[in-house]
Amino acid sequence: KDFRNSVKPNWCPGCGDFSVQASIQRAAANVGLEPNDLAVISGIGCSGRISGYIKSYGFHGIHGRVLPIAQGVKMANRDLTVIASGGDGDGFAIGMGHTVHAIRRNIDVTYIVMDNQIYGLTKGQTSPRSAEGFKTKSTPEGSVESAIGVMELALTAGATFVAQSFSSDLKELTAIIQKGIEHKGFSLINVFSPCVTYNKVNTYDWFKEHLTSLDTIEGYDPSNRMMAMQTLMENDGLVKGIIYQNTVKPSYQDLAHGYSKDALSKADLKMDEEKFNGLLAEFM
Ligand code: SF4
């Protein structure tokens, strides 16, 4: 199974997004998907280009709207594996409302955020993930706002799969994406994906120095939500690994009344005239 296509990415050399692309391709192959089993839906930003670089169904959406599109695709064809992807600005600023509601809805979509703490495509402005004091063209004296703790927020919103990884760790990232795809429900995977061109603070070396792997925390239990929250708060959110997973809560598709158990895209939607007119009359 080969998820490579002939399109050459035009990310800057060294951009963290290359690893995310490779990890998605490897994870999809590892779980036994074929390119026509997968839909990659992306938002706007450098990371948004990813849907064009993977051999699968793809849709490059509009800014902040990756999740409404991805959820619509999953609703129409539950047989597809749906991966949504975008940047921290796309998902945690303009798209934050959708992110929170997709989390609590628990629809079976894997959302991968390429988090570089800056707006790269527009040449380097402060994002909702930039730390307090972060200097950019939009905040020359340093940002006075604090960064959103997205992992903590996901936990309080009722997330059933919350994970974090780092572009430099391809093996771990692939394994986490694989687990996210296999998870029956919404999975949020935040990937620290350095912008080598505009973010000179949060570099590969910076993350290597500051990230704590959950594997190194003795007795860490990803099914324990309280432990997950406490660990995030103690480490200022800078942990990597599967932070929390709830394998018991059913997904949206399994709960929603009237939701077809079969792919809507394959249902016979033909209707005779009498039935159609009857339906129409109900709305008149
Ligand atoms: Fe990657 Fe930054 Fe270049 Fe965009 S500007 S492609 S995020 S390195």
Side-chain angles (χ1 to χ4, degrees), residues 50 101 126 130 132 148 165 172 228:
I50 201 165
H101 290 289
T126 293
S130 303
E132 216 172 314
I148 295 176
S165 192
E172 180 200 69

Side-chain angles (χ1 to χ4, degrees), residues 10-17 46-47 49 116 118 120-121 193-198:
N10 65 348
W11 291 313
C12 309
C15 176
D17 297 355
C46 296
S47 53
R49 299 175 189 143
N116 53 20
I118 201 161
L121 188 70
S193 181
C195 171
V196 293
T197 303
Y198 295 110

Side-chain angles (χ1 to χ4, degrees), residues 218-284:
E218 207 184 321
Y220 188 79
D221 175 7
S223 69
N224 185 330
R225 195 158 161 244
M226 286 292 283
M227 187 183 277
M229 183 62 93
Q230 190 178 342
T231 305
L232 282 166
M233 294 182 89
E234 282 171 1
N235 291 277
D236 209 13
L238 291 168
V239 298
K240 66 187 192 81
I242 294 177
I243 297 166
Y244 177 69
Q245 184 171 17
N246 176 339
T247 54
V248 179
K249 188 176 172 183
S251 71
Y252 180 83
Q253 298 95 299
D254 293 332
L255 288 176
H257 300 295
Y259 181 68
S260 169
K261 295 287 175 213
D262 302 313
L264 190 60
S265 58
K266 293 177 189 156
D268 181 7
L269 296 176
K270 279 191 215 110
M271 210 180 270
D272 62 35
E273 201 179 333
E274 195 182 336
K275 198 170 171 190
F276 177 76
N277 286 337
L279 266 179
L280 205 60
E282 282 183 34
F283 294 100
M284 299 296 271

